[in-house]
Amino acid sequence: MKDVANQSRSIIPKCYFLSFILSLSFLIFLSLKSTILMNKPITGPTVNDDVSGSTIVIRSGYTSYDNYIQHQLRKTNNPKLRKIWTTRDWDRKIRVFTQFFMDLKHKNLLSNSSKALCVGARVGQEVEALKRVGVWDSIGLDLVPYPPLVIQGDFHSQPFDKETFDFEFSNVFDHALYPKKFVGEIQRTLKAGGICVLHVAVSRRSDKYSANDLFSLEPLIKLFNGSELIYSRKVDGFGLDTEIVFRKKNTIQWL
């Protein structure tokens, strides 16, 4: 009986030890799984499935197009943000955009005679900057108008005739729910030989109002199938890190 009791006492610590090891292993497994999920890229329907390893990803969660529009309007109509855009950020952004546009003028991609459109201009700092460098025939387009610099419109369906503009600029490509339509409207409304300049972030975006995430320039270049790539370069554009410039071809293959 004493031997049996001794054996029982020796088994109990082993059971506790085994239980501890199994519990610890399970906790480590859960931790690793959580880390993997946290670092997993945002999933959703991809654009340009014919591009190997497509690197434009549409964010999920929109139940309808109206739902997407209302989500964007919550940012554009936010009174605190609009106050910041028109006060604290106003001069700073105009100063930076003025430098961007002067550089484009020096490269002969923009001139005083250009008819220019800023797509997704919010309160129109970009438009004001264009006027300050001498491009007077400039207007902005956004869901919420800001007269006289910005008129109301949806960049998925621009309210302009084809071949209206010599120059189009946008830094809101990441807000496009339908990147193909976004690009298609730019190419439709640009004149033959017209210039499009985009500022984009080639990285995962943290902005909760972004509708897509861009991880490479290749699929974006492919979307501009009626234009030629002039150049791309690194910039510091208020969270956007890349400037990419296209010229519309004289003969365009419509998207």
Side-chain angles (χ1 to χ4, degrees):
M1 290 295 291
K2 184 180 293 187
D3 291 339
V4 172
N6 289 336
Q7 289 178 2
S8 298
R9 282 195 295 269
S10 65
I11 291 173
I12 291 173
K14 292 180 180 178
C15 290
Y16 276 118
F17 179 74
L18 180 60
S19 177
F20 171 77
I21 293 298
L22 291 174
S23 299
L24 183 61
S25 300
F26 183 68
L27 289 173
I28 292 173
F29 169 76
L30 289 179
S31 177
L32 289 173
K33 184 178 181 181
S34 176
T35 301
I36 292 170
L37 290 174
M38 287 176 65
N39 292 323
K40 186 178 180 181
I42 299 168
T43 58
T46 58
V47 177
N48 278 358
D49 289 334
D50 56 328
V51 177
S52 178
S54 177
T55 48
I56 302 179
V57 179
I58 305 303
R59 293 191 178 186
S60 59
Y62 297 110
T63 57
S64 67
Y65 189 68
D66 183 64
N67 174 258
Y68 156 78
I69 292 293
Q70 294 305 314
H71 183 67
Q72 297 300 316
L73 285 173
R74 279 193 285 274
K75 179 176 184 178
T76 308
N77 280 326
N78 185 306
K80 291 183 179 179
L81 288 177
R82 293 190 77 82
K83 184 176 181 180
I84 291 172
W85 295 337
T86 55
T87 55
R88 188 185 73 190
D89 280 359
W90 182 258
D91 289 334
R92 179 173 65 96
K93 287 194 173 183
I94 288 176
R95 184 170 60 253
V96 173
F97 285 129
T98 297
Q99 185 58 52
F100 281 138
F101 295 140
M102 284 299 297
D103 183 67
L104 292 171
K105 289 185 75 174
H106 292 153
K107 294 174 180 175
N108 296 318
L109 299 173
L110 178 66
S111 72
N112 289 355
S113 62
S114 296
K115 184 178 178 65
L117 173 67
C118 294
V119 180
R122 293 181 183 146
V123 296
Q125 296 107 327
E126 306 95 316
V127 182
E128 179 64 24
L130 280 168
K131 293 179 182 295
R132 292 190 185 187
V133 300
V135 186
W136 295 103
D137 194 359
S138 304
I139 194 67
L141 179 72
D142 205 273
L143 290 173
V144 177
Y146 190 76
L149 299 175
V150 181
I151 66 170
Q152 185 175 19
D154 183 348
F155 54 49
H156 289 110
S157 181
Q158 291 186 19
F160 307 110
D161 293 333
K162 65 180 182 179
E163 298 185 349
T164 297
F165 299 100
D166 303 291
F167 176 86
E168 297 193 30
F169 170 80
S170 184
N171 56 7
V172 296
F173 175 78
D174 61 297
H175 286 241
L177 184 63
Y178 301 109
K180 191 173 183 179
K181 288 185 177 181
F182 178 95
V183 172
E185 284 296 276
I186 289 175
Q187 294 194 120
R188 180 183 69 81
T189 56
L190 269 180
K191 297 176 183 178
I195 299 297
C196 171
V197 178
L198 298 183
H199 285 179
V200 297
V202 188
S203 60
R204 177 186 286 192
R205 298 301 307 280
S206 59
D207 186 347
K208 66 180 180 180
Y209 294 98
S210 295
N212 72 73
D213 295 284
L214 180 66
F215 296 92
S216 168
L217 290 179
E218 282 75 13
L220 179 57
I221 293 170
K222 185 166 184 177
L223 285 179
F224 276 90
N225 66 343
S227 304
E228 60 176 328
L229 173 66
I230 300 178
Y231 70 82
S232 65
R233 63 166 184 156
K234 291 297 181 182
V235 295
D236 183 8
F238 307 106
L240 307 177
D241 56 31
T242 303
E243 179 176 274
I244 185 165
V245 181
F246 298 93
R247 178 182 282 112
K248 180 179 171 180
K249 298 174 183 177
N250 290 330
T251 303
I252 184 168
Q253 174 188 349
W254 289 105
L255 291 171

